[in-house]
Amino acid sequence: MRIAVTGSIATDHLMTFPGRFGDQLVADQLDRVSLSFLVDDLQVRRGGCAANIAFGMGCLGLSPVLVGAVGADFADYRSWLERHGVDCESVYVSELHHTARFLCTTDEDHNQIASFYTGAMAEARLIELGPIAQRLGGLDLVLISPNDPEAMLRHTDEARQRAIPFAADPSQQLARMPSEQIRELIDGAAYLFGNDYEKGLIEQKTGWSDEEILDRVGVRVTTLGPKGVVIDRKGEPPLHVPPAPELGKADPTGVGDAFRSGFLAALAWGLSLERCGQVGNLTATHVLERVGGQEYELGQKVFLERFAAAYGAEAAAEVAQHVKCHHA
Ligand SMILES: Nc1ncnc2c1ncn2[C@@H]1O[C@H](COP(=O)(O)OP(=O)(O)OP(=O)(O)O)[C@@H](O)[C@H]1O
Ligand SMILES: [Mg+2]
């Protein structure tokens, strides 16, 4: 099964300021703010929804096709992704802009001042799926994850026209997109991904009820944070898949993306929706245990042991026939 993962590709630059922003702001001079914070920690992390999702799929042994726009500064990031099995040949490299970048400084009270530079991501709207499908001899599924909104609409439209099944994953872009566009992203999707908050937001913004949405999509996958995931299909009882126990909590950034990696991997292996939910949950747990969206390692032996502990030996045996973790 050839899966194209479209969406954002970005790096995060995270700094910590050992003081309080509030102490530096002069109340009656807010019209002339000119501040520089001497920060004592900088962490650079690879991110972006599509890159995170493709990375996780690669770690499970697939070769997902990453589709997104980056700048000339992508070289290191590309080689990292390629080393983890991601096909980066269809990544669009902008001649004008840098790869999207999130810059965030956090003070000691956890206040944050951040900027998100869209950069090359705005050029994702120039990408056509046709030539990508041609290069690969066809595509079986296109995932449409948060990205330049124009790009999300274009990919969805093109998938529909070419009759390529698509999975809608509007997540954080729901907040800024108007109702009409959200309907366009979702209608006719083979899969619809979101967390429980986003499920409500989709209903509110589209004006479609829970039932109506199930009429319009094949499968709805709603992640429930520490409660796992619920998978719905029209006319069938909801399928609740409990979470995989975590060994510790470090940072939730990227858990949703890793869930999608696991879910899509099991789907590509031809496993049941229940297994998809289980592989998704266990992959997500790995991200929860590390700081950053691509800092985890999937080891074949440990992954299968943890899978068996969470979901039973029989389920693990099914997964074992397919999974080829990046690490032993
Ligand atoms: N505390 C937890 N213990 C075990 N698994 C968890 C926990 N929190 C999240 N998960 C796993 O991660 C999946 C996705 O979590 P969640 O619903 O919070 O996604 P999200 O809100 O889209 O996250 P984000 O957008 O911040 O990445 C869940 O379905 C579950 O499998
Ligand atoms: Mg999310």
Side-chain angles (χ1 to χ4, degrees):
M1 187 175 183
R2 293 305 291 176
I3 302 179
V5 179
T6 77
S8 59
I9 302 170
T11 51
D12 298 343
H13 293 235
L14 310 175
M15 289 155 279
T16 41
F17 174 61
R20 295 191 172 82
F21 292 141
D23 294 344
Q24 318 298 319
L25 294 163
V26 183
D28 58 0
Q29 290 191 24
L30 292 179
D31 51 335
R32 298 195 295 121
V33 176
S34 171
L35 288 169
S36 169
F37 299 101
L38 185 65
V39 298
D40 55 17
D41 185 41
L42 167 67
Q43 303 227 18
V44 181
R45 292 204 201 107
R46 302 174 186 94
C49 294
N52 284 345
I53 296 167
F55 171 84
M57 291 170 73
C59 286
L60 288 162
L62 282 93
S63 337
V65 182
L66 179 61
V67 179
V70 299
D73 55 324
F74 184 62
D76 282 358
Y77 197 170
R78 176 192 296 271
S79 78
W80 162 263
L81 290 170
E82 286 179 345
R83 268 187 286 128
H84 288 87
V86 178
D87 175 339
C88 294
E89 257 183 66
S90 295
V91 170
Y92 176 99
V93 182
S94 165
E95 288 182 3
L96 299 172
H97 300 111
H98 281 277
T99 303
R101 196 172 301 187
F102 178 64
L103 299 158
C104 183
T105 307
T106 305
D107 76 2
E108 60 184 35
D109 288 341
H110 295 280
N111 296 304
Q112 296 188 320
I113 296 181
S115 312
F116 185 81
Y117 169 67
T118 311
M121 197 176 91
E123 292 173 51
R125 64 183 66 173
L126 304 175
I127 300 173
E128 252 189 284
L129 299 178
I132 301 171
Q134 215 163 25
R135 169 170 79 82
L136 299 158
L139 280 172
D140 301 300
L141 186 70
V142 177
L143 175 70
I144 295 148
S145 293
N147 200 352
D148 167 53
E150 283 296 320
M152 295 170 77
L153 291 164
R154 178 167 187 198
H155 297 332
T156 307
D157 188 49
E158 205 189 330
R160 258 193 218 105
Q161 284 191 22
R162 295 184 185 277
I164 305 169
F166 66 95
D169 177 22
S171 319
Q172 59 252 46
Q173 295 299 37
L174 285 170
R176 60 166 286 170
M177 294 180 78
S179 307
E180 192 46 48
Q181 294 187 347
I182 295 171
R183 290 196 199 107
E184 257 178 67
L185 291 181
I186 289 168
D187 206 5
Y191 299 86
L192 170 61
F193 288 101
N195 61 27
D196 48 352
Y197 175 77
E198 289 153 359
K199 174 182 180 289
L201 193 59
I202 289 172
E203 287 164 16
Q204 189 193 12
K205 284 199 125 182
T206 57
W208 290 336
S209 66
D210 180 297
E211 275 295 297
E212 256 176 301
I213 290 171
L214 286 185
D215 280 339
R216 291 172 187 274
V217 306
V219 177
R220 182 179 56 205
V221 183
T222 309
T223 60
L224 309 171
K227 295 199 185 115
V229 61
V230 63
I231 303 171
D232 291 298
R233 264 178 309 175
K234 191 179 162 60
E236 290 186 32
L239 173 66
H240 177 244
V241 183
E246 88 246 3
L247 303 178
K249 258 199 214 90
D251 171 27
T253 310
V255 281
D257 294 337
F259 174 86
R260 286 151 179 75
S261 307
F263 186 97
L264 292 172
L267 193 71
W269 298 330
L271 300 184
S272 65
L273 288 174
E274 185 185 22
R275 296 288 170 270
C276 292
Q278 293 168 338
V279 178
N281 285 345
L282 182 57
T283 310
T285 301
H286 284 74
V287 172
L288 197 64
E289 294 163 0
R290 290 269 181 284
V291 179
Q294 297 180 29
E295 301 302 319
Y296 61 98
E297 283 186 2
L298 294 181
Q300 181 83 0
K301 187 164 170 282
V302 175
F303 188 84
L304 286 170
E305 278 169 7
R306 289 185 69 176
F307 195 93
Y311 302 114
E314 240 175 82
E318 265 182 51
V319 173
Q321 291 178 11
H322 303 280
V323 69
K324 283 197 184 64
C325 287
H326 189 69
H327 296 276

